[in-house]
């Protein structure tokens, strides 16, 4: 692999991020990883408002990422961006910035799949992580992904909302600020009583909305918020761990990798780590700023795709709101 520097722009949802990475052999060196997150004062993420936020910050983030990486613009060999899945207006903003940058630098451009980027950044930055099952838990996405037959295939996923979205929606209904996940984690530490909640594992898939409604009812019936948060975590994380373990068993894989914002949760980490230990598997989680939505992971996936021979014309750089993980031909792996 020749050494090259890739600049990546992430913009699928609430976060606009710009990262620069360099490859040293097959390892990913993160040179910089700047980001800004849109936080609505009230309610969920309005796609156009988030896109306006991204448009406002993208130029300064690019400058900042280049300054932090301590390089000059002419050292950038490739521009990558998140082609999908995500919110249309946000994706379009990031793609437009990437196209403009690629044209002005006269460097190639590659649009990448956001979910695949979450797995590749783990493989790229954690030396022992080579063929993991990824438990990808973010706001909008919840998937169990692994490599099989030249694709990253989805072995299980949410049938309704993402786990992060479930936590945030519960938080919103009881006036916990967004993002609610970290607050729920703190409350859960003080929970003592487990309240029974729907445990919806359907084959390899999971559903959260019934559990969300039941949790909201516990709140209306004056149960302690600490107990509810504790019970939400225990139930949802157990379901995620169960499906992940089954994927590992069926595929015969002995590595598990966490990704997505919810991977910051210590209880989820402990549960998955325990499961891994019990089956003699290894547990990995990237550093926090590579777990959340970020530009460095987009830069890295663009780089390895480019080095495997992938090329895109400007006409190929349209966005795809429903770009599924298993639509990508993984030509860079055996
Ligand atoms: P992402 O979409 O991958 O950037 O992740 C954002 C999601 O992660 C939001 O739904 C947050 O509530 C959630 N999150 C962040 N930190 C934690 C945490 N410590 N525990 C649970 N969820 C978290
Ligand atoms: Mg994500």
């Amino acid at each position: 692999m020749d050494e090259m520097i890739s600049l990546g722009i992430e913009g699928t949802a609430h976060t606009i991020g710009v990262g620069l990475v360099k490859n040293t052999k097959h390892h990913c060196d993160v040179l910089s990883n700047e980001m800004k997150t849109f936080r609505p004062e009230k309610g969920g993420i309005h796609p156009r408002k988030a896109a306006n936020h991204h448009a406002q910050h993208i130029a300064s983030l690019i400058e900042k990422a280049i300054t932090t990486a301590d390089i000059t613009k002419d050292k950038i060999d490739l521009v990558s961006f998140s082609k999908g899945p995500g919110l249309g207006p946000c994706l379009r903003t990031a793609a437009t910035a990437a196209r403009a940058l690629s044209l002005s630098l006269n460097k190639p451009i590659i649009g990448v799949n956001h979910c695949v980027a979450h797995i590749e950044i783990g493989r790229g930055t954690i030396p022992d992580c080579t063929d993991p099952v990824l438990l990808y838990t973010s706001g909008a996405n919840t998937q169990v992904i692994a490599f099989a037959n030249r694709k990253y295939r989805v072995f299980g996923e949410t049938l309704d909302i993402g786990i992060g979205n479930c936590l945030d929606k519960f938080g919103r209904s009881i006036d916990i600020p967004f993002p609610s996940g970290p607050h729920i984690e703190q409350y859960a530490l003080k929970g003592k009583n487990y309240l029974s909640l729907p445990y919806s594992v359907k084959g390899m898939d999971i559903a959260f909305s019934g559990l969300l409604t039941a949790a909201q009812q516990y709140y209306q019936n004056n149960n302690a918020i600490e107990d509810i948060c504790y019970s939400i975590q225990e139930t949802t994380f157990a379901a995620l761990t169960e499906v992940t373990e089954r994927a590992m068993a069926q595929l015969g894989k002995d590595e598990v990798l966490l990704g997505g914002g919810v991977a910051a949760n210590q209880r989820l980490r402990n549960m998955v780590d325990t499961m891994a230990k019990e089956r003699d598997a290894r547990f990995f989680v990237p550093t926090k700023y590579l777990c959340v939505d970020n530009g460095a992971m987009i830069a890295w996936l663009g780089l390895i795709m480019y080095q495997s021979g992938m090329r895109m014309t400007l006409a190929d750089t349209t966005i795809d709101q429903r770009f599924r993980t298993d639509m990508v031909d993984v030509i860079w792996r055996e």
Side-chain angles (χ1 to χ4, degrees):
M1 252 175 147
D2 294 335
E3 248 182 44
M4 63 187 285
I5 293 180
S6 167
L7 179 147
I9 304 181
E10 154 62 25
T12 54
H14 46 64
T15 297
I16 181 79
V18 180
L20 279 147
V21 304
K22 190 174 92 179
N23 60 317
T24 311
K25 297 199 176 125
H26 289 277
H27 188 80
C28 168
D29 289 332
V30 177
L31 306 178
S32 63
N33 201 16
E34 303 293 333
M35 59 191 88
K36 287 249 184 245
T37 299
F38 171 67
R39 294 179 197 280
E41 276 168 29
K42 226 173 112 253
I45 299 163
H46 189 298
R48 184 169 37 76
K49 287 186 188 159
N52 287 345
H53 163 272
H54 297 353
Q56 205 183 326
H57 292 291
I58 182 68
S60 58
L61 284 172
I62 292 172
E63 291 296 337
K64 206 166 158 204
I66 293 171
T67 311
T68 309
D70 203 16
I71 60 159
T72 48
K73 282 194 180 78
D74 58 303
K75 294 284 183 298
I76 298 169
D77 300 303
L78 174 72
V79 177
S80 339
F81 70 98
S82 47
K83 184 175 167 70
L87 306 171
C90 301
L91 290 170
R92 254 170 242 121
T93 305
T96 305
R99 285 181 207 119
L101 190 62
S102 153
L103 286 171
S104 71
L105 297 174
N106 196 23
K107 295 292 169 175
I109 182 167
I110 297 245
V112 311
N113 181 287
H114 173 96
C115 308
V116 173
H118 274 289
I119 196 164
E120 287 299 348
I121 195 65
R123 290 191 345 113
T125 56
I126 307 171
D128 293 335
C129 178
T130 55
D131 185 22
V133 169
L134 170 72
L135 172 57
Y136 171 34
T137 54
S138 73
N141 300 299
T142 298
Q143 295 183 326
V144 175
I145 304 169
F147 183 73
N149 253 327
R150 303 203 71 82
K151 292 213 169 183
Y152 281 118
R153 298 184 192 268
V154 178
F155 289 89
E157 66 187 312
T158 177
L159 296 171
D160 46 32
I161 53 177
I163 173 65
N165 201 226
C166 171
L167 300 172
D168 295 335
K169 277 193 158 129
F170 176 71
R172 198 185 310 149
S173 62
I174 66 166
D175 283 333
I176 297 177
F178 175 89
S180 304
H183 300 281
I184 290 175
E185 179 172 19
Q186 291 311 310
Y187 281 120
L189 288 173
K190 299 192 206 97
K192 290 192 182 65
N193 304 305
Y194 178 77
L195 307 165
S196 171
L197 286 167
Y199 183 88
S200 307
V201 170
K202 300 169 196 264
M204 290 293 283
D205 295 325
I206 304 178
F208 296 114
S209 48
L211 172 141
L212 173 61
T213 307
Q216 287 165 334
Q217 282 165 354
Y218 277 126
Y219 182 74
Q220 280 151 17
N221 294 332
N222 300 317
N223 285 277
I225 181 167
E226 292 82 1
D227 289 342
I228 308 174
C229 290
Y230 166 69
S231 308
I232 292 174
Q233 285 199 171
E234 293 304 300
T235 314
T236 56
F237 296 171
L240 291 168
T241 307
E242 181 194 324
V243 175
T244 307
E245 176 166 31
R246 197 152 46 239
M248 292 171 76
Q250 285 174 2
L251 292 161
K253 301 215 194 238
D254 60 1
E255 295 172 24
V256 58
L257 172 71
L258 288 187
V262 186
N265 189 289
Q266 197 54 50
R267 180 60 183 138
L268 177 64
R269 290 179 180 206
N270 290 347
M271 257 197 221
V272 176
D273 190 23
T274 303
M275 175 273 281
K277 285 205 174 81
E278 285 178 359
R279 46 184 308 109
D280 281 333
R282 280 164 305 154
F283 166 78
F284 302 111
V285 55
T287 60
K288 183 174 175 226
Y289 288 102
L290 296 175
C291 258
V292 298
D293 291 352
N294 68 90
M297 70 177 188
I298 303 298
W300 177 241
L301 177 53
L303 188 154
I304 54 183
M305 285 171 73
Y306 186 84
Q307 295 219 329
S308 70
M310 175 81 87
R311 299 289 181 270
M312 281 188 188
T313 64
L314 272 189
D316 301 322
T317 62
T318 48
I319 57 127
D320 184 351
Q321 294 179 59
R322 294 175 204 285
F323 191 9
R324 285 198 48 95
T325 308
D326 44 18
M327 286 160 68
V328 179
D329 284 321
V330 183
I331 55 171
W332 59 91
R333 263 189 81 166
E334 285 303 316

